[in-house]
Amino acid sequence: MPTIRYPAMLLAAACITAFGAAHGQQTDAWRHAQVEAAEHSERIMAEAQKRRTLLASYRVMMDAATSAAPDERAFNVIFSQYLSWYQTYVGDYPNAQLSYSIAQPMQPGDAASPLADGYHPVAAIDAVARLARDRRVVLLNEAHNVPLTRSLTVPLLAKLRAEGFNYFAVETLYGDDHALSERGYATADSGFYTREPIYAEMVRTALALGFTVVAYESDQPGTADARERMQARNLYERVFRRDPKARLVVNAGYAHIQEQGAYLGGRSMAQYLQQLDDIDALTVEQTMMIPHPQAAQDHPWYSAVMATAHPDQPFVFTDTQGRPWSLRTGYDVSVFFPPPRMRRERPGWLTLGGLRRPYFISGDTLCGARWPCLVEALPAAEGDDAVAADRVLFDPPPNPPPLHDRVRPLRGATASELYLRPGDYRLRVVGGDGRISESQNVRVPPG
């Protein structure tokens, strides 16, 4: 496995702040405990990265989670976020959100419900493309451990490319992967989140569509505000200074894209970018109106909307003039993601708006009943270093099951489905010992 070079402490900083604010516990003692927990979590993650395979790294993270005492509250809160990243890397999306979930309670200043103000739902992919038509920049955010919030961005890229957008900037992409464009796909060395298949699919899709993919992450130590300022500076220098007519799509986390209000003791990346080049970006909020593991964590407006509508794709609300509804100031439009429809213990949003289709796999056949077992699908035209198009982790419980056990991927099932675009793939099977026990070519036919 490659070594993580990006300081994960900065990635955790926003969530440390968000958790404390949500629970009214931003005392010095609590914040100190969280910082210590984040440092401990980084040491565990560094140890995990010494392992040869992704599966071996994941097992280090899972072992640390299961061995933590229940009263280690700060560690359990912080490390659950680190663990959730690895759960997304191995394709265990339901448990990643169970491990770490940020509630969305009503906040002062939230807009009135779209159900009460003459708005109507519109497919997000069409509405966002229309709203972006006259903009130079589109800012899309995501929740890093909930790849559902990437599932609109992937198919939306084609719509934005057709509207003339030609640059795609990706958060935590490493700037020294100089072969990325020529290669056409991300590797585990390309960035921090590119190890996750949907994130890698964003990069793969953008390159295939002809976008220039840009790394804009700050690599300088400093405060969270310094990171925001440097991200904006990198976007300006690497895109608009070189190409004043550029049209840019930016992928970022959480409130990096907010255009108003204080953020982490300073300003957001979006505010600094606007200051640098007087850019009025379209800001698309994708992290608030999402389903949570517990309904009590959902925003009240989300619950009300889902009780009256039964959509099968991401959507937004617009009024009769086409103006979009946004939950909070600082964002132009809020995207609603419907609750996932599960199939063989995997969420249906993995179709990515119909770009991909399910492909059945049997863990008993591929893994030979040796657990845990990671099955990966690599596009046939890409190298063995490519991030898989999709992954499924099989890890059924022993018989009898242990008394104390965390949730298991696929709820212990030994058959499931990969979600793949039509085409040719290599299935690679990695066992718990790190050995590749099986490799076979498969074809996914058109739908």
Side-chain angles (χ1 to χ4, degrees), residues 58 110 118 148 195-196 214 224 237 240 245 303 318 330 346 444:
Y58 162 84
D110 281 0
L148 165 68
R195 300 146 197 263
E196 191 277 309
V214 178
E237 295 289 342
F240 294 109
K245 295 183 179 180
S303 302
T318 62
R346 304 203 77 203
V444 178

Side-chain angles (χ1 to χ4, degrees), residues 273-292:
L273 183 61
Q274 186 177 39
Q275 191 177 48
L276 282 171
D277 203 32
D278 192 27
I279 291 172
D280 181 19
L282 175 68
T283 50
V284 184
E285 211 301 310
Q286 302 189 101
T287 71
M288 297 177 187
M289 292 303 180
I290 64 173
H292 292 77

Side-chain angles (χ1 to χ4, degrees), residues 392-409:
V392 166
L393 175 60
F394 294 108
D395 192 15
N399 190 16
L403 294 176
H404 302 287
D405 196 11
R406 283 184 67 92
V407 289
R408 288 183 175 268

